[in-house]
Amino acid sequence: MHPGPDDVPPAAGGAAARRARGATPDPPVNEHAEPAGGPAGRDHPYRPRNWALWRRPPVLIAFMLGLEVVAVAVLTLSFTHSAVPGDRDWINFGILAIGATVHIQLTQRQEERRRNRAKKVLIDLTAVWTFSAALILPVPLTLLVVFLIRLQHWFIARRPAHNFIFSSITHGLAGAVAHVTYVALGPHLLGQAGWGGFWQEAGTIAVTGVVYEAIQILYVGGALALGLSSEPTLRNVLGSPADNLLEAVTIGLGAVTAILLAVVPPMVVVMAVATVVFNRLAELDQLQNDVRTDPKTGILNMRGWSESAERALERTARSGDQLALLMVDLDHFKWINDTYGHPAGDDVLRTVAQTLDEVTRPSDLVGRFGGEEFLILLPDIDEEATWDAAERIRVAIAKLHIVTTDKRGDPATIADRTTSIGVARHPRHGDNLDRLLQSADAAVYLAKENGRDQVCFAPDTPGGGLMPPAGP
């Protein structure tokens, strides 16, 4: 997958806003304000000298400007060495331009809603047209397709000017390099007959798709990583598995579009309709995900977590496997809000949520219970492994150094935070989710009463809550 082309960190005010879009600390700015400074518009935000880019960290400025220089050089070189477009190329260009325009105009409202709801990474579905152009058109026409798409997107994306320029250059570079790669590897579409030619062509297209994506990883992913206020992770830079799957499908549809264009050009109208439907399905999937996801931390909310936990409990009851529930409560969290401010508290919650996701197994369910409490369901795990998992979480949170801001907006680091973790096991402490939650909650209170910063099993566990249970 990849970060969407317009998700280079924008300027934003406050830690929560910065984290939501992967931005670095910047003064609040309205990139679309009316011209100021008199009739000449000396302070217009679109003027390069007024771009919020210059208020970014020097390393991010150097990264973006440096890669833009490299991109322009590569684009110029590939443009000058490209074949001169023929009549068939211009016909294919016209078909792709019309298809992309139909797609963009018919999905404009949907795309605006998707962009407004996106928190970190947004998959741009127009790769269906740009990737197909890279496969079948020479570089000049590929860049012209990208230009026409980006020109229309300017009125939809409404991103800061420097972000939009950076992402547009990235799109053009990805298309140009992908085209050069495809031509160099060969054969061309329908170049060879038989299964050998088929698999060679499929492999060539796959490699070209990887190159196309790699360019965007380097450019947009790199800018996102440098713009984060805390240590970057694969998820907040590259997106979720669902994001990456969506990107792979989009590139696959681009390959199909190119093949149709080479074999039966009028059938591209089918892809135009398909992309409109696909855009709608992507929006529905995003809506469904929003209903199940906590907007502050990006992990499951109580509704999403409970639905998944109930299904896991049903599977456990049928199979007779073991299961555990952890309730993770951050100690003295109110002190963080009172001392550093609520935006800093939000940064702590987000970082803890990311940490829980990193130190748990893929099969474990991590969710936010509310406030400063998190829930983790551990399927197929014995008592000793449960204790080890809870201790691993407690230690990981204690080691965090969370970069944030204080009440005055000055840089601050929050560290050495402790956690009280309550553990309940199925079926010993409850045969349904409500009873397990009650038992885990009682264990959290036991941990706090005994001094905090510890793991406690539910009170009815043999041997008392403070000591790890005996092995099976």
Side-chain angles (χ1 to χ4, degrees):
M1 114 77 270
H2 288 252
D6 297 313
D7 284 327
V8 200
R18 291 196 309 273
R19 199 68 186 108
R21 299 296 300 175
T24 52
D26 279 329
V29 59
N30 183 355
E31 295 282 358
H32 294 271
E34 293 297 323
R42 293 188 301 272
D43 298 325
H44 197 293
Y46 292 162
R47 293 173 67 91
R49 68 179 183 182
N50 297 326
W51 287 352
L53 171 67
W54 314 121
R55 294 187 287 276
R56 304 292 177 83
V59 64
L60 180 58
I61 297 174
F63 177 86
M64 295 179 69
L65 294 182
L67 289 191
E68 284 180 346
V69 170
V70 171
V72 171
V74 173
L75 287 172
T76 301
L77 185 64
S78 59
F79 188 95
T80 56
H81 288 80
S82 176
V84 177
D87 293 341
R88 179 63 185 270
D89 294 325
W90 282 104
I91 292 173
N92 289 338
F93 162 77
I95 294 173
L96 287 178
I98 293 173
T101 299
V102 170
H103 172 202
I104 293 171
Q105 296 305 317
L106 292 183
T107 61
Q108 179 174 346
R109 293 298 183 186
Q110 297 171 9
E111 191 67 9
E112 287 178 338
R113 291 192 295 265
R114 287 183 67 237
R115 290 176 182 276
N116 289 335
R117 284 192 296 266
K119 297 177 176 62
K120 298 183 184 72
V121 173
L122 176 73
I123 303 303
D124 189 331
L125 303 181
T126 56
V128 172
W129 308 104
T130 53
F131 184 66
S132 59
L135 291 178
I136 206 164
L137 297 179
V139 171
L141 294 186
T142 297
L143 296 180
L144 189 54
V145 169
V146 172
F147 172 77
L148 290 177
I149 290 174
R150 299 301 295 165
L151 181 62
Q152 295 180 73
H153 263 223
W154 168 253
F155 300 100
I156 300 174
R158 297 189 178 95
R159 293 291 181 261
H162 63 279
N163 281 1
F164 196 84
I165 291 173
F166 179 81
S167 56
S168 297
I169 290 175
T170 300
H171 265 244
L173 180 65
V177 174
H179 175 80
V180 171
T181 302
Y182 180 74
V183 171
L185 292 177
H188 301 299
L189 292 169
L190 303 180
Q192 296 183 15
W195 283 102
F198 169 79
W199 288 113
Q200 183 176 351
E201 180 73 348
T204 300
I205 293 175
V207 171
T208 305
V210 170
V211 171
Y212 179 86
E213 273 303 288
I215 297 296
Q216 297 191 60
I217 290 176
L218 173 63
Y219 274 65
V220 182
L224 280 171
L226 292 174
L228 292 173
S229 59
S230 60
E231 184 176 354
T233 65
L234 287 177
R235 188 180 185 90
N236 58 28
V237 171
L238 302 184
S240 67
D243 294 328
N244 287 272
L245 177 61
L246 179 60
E247 179 76 355
V249 171
T250 303
I251 290 177
L253 290 176
V256 172
T257 302
I259 294 171
L260 287 176
L261 199 57
V263 181
V264 191
M267 289 299 293
V268 174
V269 69
V270 175
M271 293 306 301
V273 175
T275 53
V276 173
V277 175
F278 188 51
N279 213 102
R280 179 58 176 167
L281 292 175
E283 183 187 19
L284 291 175
D285 182 71
Q286 186 185 45
L287 285 170
Q288 185 180 40
N289 184 66
D290 288 346
V291 171
R292 294 168 47 85
T293 303
D294 175 54
K296 187 167 291 185
T297 60
I299 60 176
L300 291 173
N301 59 20
M302 195 56 191
R303 174 178 178 174
W305 184 88
S306 297
E307 291 174 353
S308 298
E310 290 285 6
R311 290 194 292 269
L313 275 172
E314 291 175 2
R315 290 192 297 268
T316 298
R318 289 195 301 267
S319 63
D321 292 332
Q322 303 181 69
L323 178 146
L325 172 63
L326 309 184
M327 183 176 289
V328 180
D329 190 294
L330 304 182
D331 295 330
H332 302 298
F333 184 75
K334 185 177 182 299
W335 176 85
I336 296 176
N337 286 332
D338 293 342
T339 304
Y340 296 95
H342 287 85
D346 291 344
D347 281 342
V348 171
L349 292 175
R350 276 185 286 269
T351 304
V352 169
Q354 291 175 7
T355 302
L356 294 178
D357 193 54
E358 292 167 3
V359 301
T360 53
R361 304 170 302 176
S363 59
D364 298 336
L365 290 175
V366 180
R368 186 180 177 203
F369 187 51
E372 67 273 21
E373 293 180 316
F374 298 87
L375 295 172
I376 307 171
L377 194 75
L378 308 174
D380 191 21
I381 190 169
D382 59 32
E383 291 190 5
E384 184 176 0
T386 299
W387 178 271
D388 292 339
E391 273 294 309
R392 184 167 59 251
I393 291 169
R394 185 188 65 81
V395 172
I397 293 175
K399 290 181 178 180
L400 289 177
H401 287 72
I402 302 165
V403 178
T404 182
T405 54
D406 59 21
K407 291 180 178 179
R408 295 178 297 276
D410 296 326
T413 300
I414 299 175
D416 302 320
R417 304 312 306 162
T418 62
T419 306
S420 298
I421 302 178
V423 183
R425 290 186 53 78
H426 175 276
R428 175 181 292 181
H429 303 116
D431 57 1
N432 60 48
L433 192 57
D434 287 338
R435 291 194 180 97
L436 286 173
L437 286 170
Q438 291 172 2
S439 297
D441 187 57
V444 168
Y445 278 105
L446 180 62
K448 290 185 177 297
E449 290 170 358
N450 284 281
R452 296 183 170 85
D453 191 22
Q454 57 193 257
V455 176
C456 285
F457 276 62
D460 61 341
T461 299
L466 294 180
M467 300 300 294

